[in-house]
Amino acid sequence: MGETMPAPADLRGDCTNCFGLCCVALPFALSADFAFDKPAGTPCRNLLADHTCGIHDRLRQSGFTGCTVYDCLGAGQKVSQVVFEGRDGGRRMHEVFPVVRQLQELLTYLTEALTLPAARPVHAGLREALARTDVLTRGTPDELLALDVAEHRQSVAQLLSRASELTRAGVPGKKKRRRGADLMGARLKGADLRGADLRGAYLIAADLTGADLRGADLIGADLRDADLSDADLTGALFLLQPQVDAARGSAGTRLPGSVGRPVHWAAGG
């Protein structure tokens, strides 16, 4: 069709080609995830002159778990090297970064949706949306700041939802619909959640030990501190690495091939 599919490497953060944008543009507050407050647009005190992190090898031990579970999905290097052509754009660069981060997230979902055989009826629409989104990420700073990201997300969300429905229709069993549900701290040990719609669900600190999440749609689900020990997430849809990194798991946790097993799981963290 002529469009270029983003390679997986384009959808992962590459700090070596970034001006430390997440360490400046994003705010964070003193909490279990961050050791101090930092407003948006202010450089983190751990950011070095060469745009690298001074405590990168000991973030968790230093109280910055939040940094270890964040991934710009390639937005940092794209803003730095493509939108601003390798020049430090200062404040405007920091304003553009969150916009491109959202678009990169959509690219990640669209790329995955195009690998789903059951979603073939909407593949043409997905390819068109992917090409359009990729073009948007390469716009000028003015174009990106003027973009109605919410409107674009909505149009893409409809396609992703249909791709999910088509795919989950082939998952055996009765499928639970818990989209956006408040399941914070829920006791779901051993729960049958095969093919469930868990989009945007709040699963913070939920006990999902041994739960069957095969083929579940986890787009936007908040898995912070959720216990995935021995859970089966084989074939889970739209699960991003930051979601897995924010959860707890074990050697028995089964993950889809799109994400890796967090190093801190081995340490029981």
Side-chain angles (χ1 to χ4, degrees):
M1 301 295 292
E3 67 268 23
T4 301
M5 290 276 287
D10 296 328
L11 299 173
R12 293 194 296 267
D14 178 5
C15 299
T16 62
N17 283 301
C18 178
F19 289 102
L21 299 186
C22 65
C23 305
V24 181
L26 305 180
F28 53 73
L30 175 63
S31 62
D33 293 323
F34 298 101
F36 51 74
D37 294 318
K38 188 193 83 66
T42 300
C44 174
R45 67 183 70 164
N46 296 315
L47 185 65
L48 303 179
D50 63 355
H51 308 297
T52 61
C53 176
I55 60 169
H56 188 266
D57 60 346
R58 57 182 190 282
L59 283 166
R60 282 184 172 268
Q61 302 92 307
S62 302
F64 289 91
T65 299
C67 295
T68 68
V69 301
Y70 178 79
D71 190 336
C72 73
L73 303 178
Q77 66 261 30
K78 184 167 282 188
V79 171
S80 298
Q81 304 301 328
V82 178
V83 179
F84 284 87
E85 301 178 326
R87 297 186 294 270
D88 190 340
R91 182 178 61 81
R92 280 173 63 75
M93 178 179 278
H94 304 148
E95 293 172 347
V96 166
F97 173 69
V99 176
V100 177
R101 169 58 173 76
Q102 293 186 67
L103 296 174
Q104 289 290 114
E105 183 176 296
L106 294 179
L107 286 179
T108 305
Y109 294 143
L110 288 164
T111 300
E112 177 179 339
L114 281 165
T115 69
L116 305 174
R120 193 172 301 279
V122 292
H123 275 191
L126 290 167
R127 282 194 294 269
E128 183 179 347
L130 185 143
R132 170 61 177 156
T133 304
D134 191 43
V135 168
L136 290 175
T137 66
R138 301 170 189 278
T140 67
D142 286 341
E143 289 170 340
L144 285 162
L145 291 175
L147 177 65
D148 188 336
V149 182
E151 181 180 355
H152 183 66
R153 286 189 73 100
Q154 182 59 35
S155 64
V156 172
Q158 293 174 3
L159 284 166
L160 294 175
S161 183
R162 182 58 180 151
S164 172
E165 290 169 359
L166 289 167
T167 301
R168 289 183 295 109
V171 178
K174 185 176 181 180
K175 300 159 189 70
K176 296 180 174 61
R177 183 178 174 84
R178 304 306 302 273
R179 182 176 297 202
D182 184 352
L183 298 170
M184 293 178 62
R187 298 177 180 176
L188 297 168
K189 183 176 182 178
D192 183 358
L193 294 169
R194 288 175 295 171
D197 182 352
L198 291 167
R199 288 186 162 219
Y202 295 94
L203 288 158
I204 302 170
D207 182 3
L208 289 161
T209 304
D212 192 343
L213 289 151
R214 286 178 290 174
D217 186 338
L218 292 167
I219 193 168
D222 194 335
L223 294 171
R224 283 178 293 169
D225 204 34
D227 192 346
L228 298 175
S229 298
D230 299 324
D232 191 348
L233 290 89
T234 305
L237 302 176
F238 308 125
L239 180 66
L240 299 182
Q241 190 66 51
Q243 290 171 283
V244 177
D245 290 343
R248 292 179 288 130
S250 68
T253 304
R254 300 181 66 183
L255 296 169
S258 58
V259 296
R261 189 174 303 276
V263 174
H264 66 271
W265 282 11

